[in-house]
Amino acid sequence: MVAQAPVIISASRATDIPAFYSNWFFSRLGKGYVRWRNPFNGKDCFVSFTNTRFIVFWSKNPAPLVHNLHILREMGIGCYVQYTLNDYEKEGFEANVPALQHRIDTFKCLVDTLGEGSVVWRFDPLVLTDAVSEESLLEKIDNIAERLRGYTEKLVFSFADIGSYKKVGKNLMLAGIKYKEWDFESMLSFAETLSGQNESWGLKLATCSEPIALGQFNIEHNRCIDPELISRLAPADAVLQNFLFNARTDGGQRKHCGCILSKDIGAYNSCPHGCAYCYANTTPRSALANYHRHNPENDSIL
């Protein structure tokens, strides 16, 4: 069986490890490896933590991380959190995420624990429907931005691309959600207004894996596995700094992704948040069933 020993771990684009598999993850970290299955060819490989110097977490509810972060400090492993903090409460698009205020409180708690810059705010994706307009999305972002003042320095967002994921469109229709696709003009108008609002917040604005160029509105292309941020957060780690100096872009990601090379250890179709627009699950029901079959003693999520 193939084995890898990556310097940077992504945990995870494919599922919410902090929210639902945090105990499993830290148990595996202590045991030194996980088993990961390639979703495209079905082959397993071992991922060793021997060389791991940094972890990027992705989550909509990273509260379970908080009481385990001391383990990373003791092991000399750095981290930051890509925190997707949306507001689709009224619409019910994210069926099983905690209340917005709870998630905002978690955001602040993580910043207090990890430090400035260690929690990246994502409003991702921006979903347009017959009931959710550009204007209402801008109001939602403004509300969260005001409540996160002093706790975030960046906002990352993406425009929901339903047409590229047939299962997403199908799941939205089954849920009775009449979605709309973004077009070039609507993206530009949204970005222009968002940029104007940002004069009050003073955040860095960035898009995730978007082909559209929005530099005229001071919106850059993001690198979610970001060598500059990792370097800033772990300045004394010579091994990591050397890796970052020679790091290359991860060619296994989407065409417009700017992330550097890391190893994702998640599994698709295993996140029970129940988000109606999720591209990582076949259906919310199947993901929930897989979650209930999870054994925290196993060396893999599924």
Side-chain angles (χ1 to χ4, degrees):
M1 188 180 293
V2 176
Q4 302 181 38
V7 174
I8 300 175
I9 292 288
S10 169
S12 156
R13 295 180 180 91
T15 193
D16 197 326
I17 287 177
F20 300 109
Y21 304 102
S22 188
N23 289 338
W24 168 84
F25 173 79
F26 282 97
S27 173
R28 297 314 310 171
L29 190 65
K31 290 179 170 61
Y33 76 96
V34 298
R35 180 168 52 87
W36 175 80
R37 177 161 294 174
N38 188 312
F40 302 105
N41 62 23
K43 294 182 178 179
D44 287 353
C45 76
F46 288 120
V47 180
S48 168
F49 296 118
T50 302
N51 296 331
T52 298
R53 309 300 305 162
F54 206 91
I55 299 167
V56 177
F57 293 105
W58 311 68
S59 186
K60 290 182 179 175
N61 177 28
L65 274 183
V66 175
H67 70 278
N68 283 316
L69 290 173
H70 69 94
I71 298 173
L72 297 183
R73 289 193 295 271
E74 291 163 5
M75 297 180 71
I77 297 174
C79 76
Y80 64 78
V81 181
Q82 291 279 351
Y83 193 158
T84 299
L85 181 55
N86 301 333
D87 178 8
Y88 294 122
E89 280 193 312
K90 183 175 70 174
E91 295 79 11
F93 293 170
E94 300 171 333
N96 300 320
V97 300
L100 178 60
Q101 185 58 55
H102 175 87
R103 288 178 283 138
I104 289 172
D105 291 343
T106 295
F107 194 107
K108 294 179 178 180
C109 178
L110 279 169
V111 173
D112 290 340
T113 302
L114 291 172
E116 183 180 355
S118 295
V119 188
V120 180
W121 175 31
R122 306 174 70 90
F123 200 114
D124 179 27
L126 296 163
V127 181
L128 282 179
T129 74
D130 59 340
V132 181
S133 64
E134 293 177 46
E135 292 74 20
S136 62
L137 285 170
L138 289 161
E139 289 173 2
K140 292 173 184 291
I141 291 173
D142 181 72
N143 174 51
I144 296 175
E146 290 295 333
R147 294 158 77 176
L148 290 180
R149 278 189 182 274
Y151 283 90
T152 186
E153 56 190 32
K154 192 173 193 178
L155 166 60
V156 179
F157 63 95
S158 70
F159 301 103
D161 182 12
I162 310 301
S164 296
Y165 301 94
K166 291 183 179 180
K167 63 184 178 183
V168 176
K170 180 180 178 181
N171 287 335
L172 289 172
M173 287 190 292
L174 289 173
I177 299 170
K178 298 177 181 178
Y179 66 89
K180 298 179 180 180
E181 293 283 6
W182 292 86
D183 58 25
F184 184 75
E185 289 73 21
S186 60
M187 290 181 193
L188 285 180
S189 65
F190 182 92
E192 183 176 14
T193 306
L194 181 66
S195 181
Q197 290 179 316
N198 188 48
E199 292 179 7
S200 168
W201 314 322
L203 303 176
K204 295 178 183 177
L205 300 178
T207 58
C208 178
S209 296
E210 290 288 351
I212 189 170
L214 299 172
Q216 67 270 42
F217 306 120
N218 295 313
I219 300 173
E220 61 187 29
H221 293 289
N222 199 50
R223 306 183 79 179
C224 300
I225 310 292
D226 183 352
E228 293 184 4
L229 180 56
I230 294 172
S231 178
R232 170 185 151 195
L233 295 176
D237 189 328
V239 173
L240 181 59
Q241 293 291 334
N242 183 64
F243 173 84
L244 295 172
F245 182 79
N246 297 290
R248 66 182 189 275
T249 301
D250 188 347
Q253 302 304 321
R254 289 176 288 176
K255 181 178 179 181
H256 300 283
C257 177
C259 291
I260 62 168
L261 192 64
S262 65
K263 178 57 189 169
D264 198 294
I265 60 168
Y268 289 116
N269 211 36
S270 63
C271 178
H273 277 313
C275 300
Y277 54 77
C278 183
Y279 72 89
N281 291 338
T282 305
T283 66
R285 179 178 293 182
S286 62
L288 183 60
N290 281 335
Y291 169 67
H292 285 312
R293 284 195 291 268
H294 167 71
N295 182 348
E297 299 302 318
N298 282 354
D299 57 4
S300 63
I301 288 178
L302 298 181

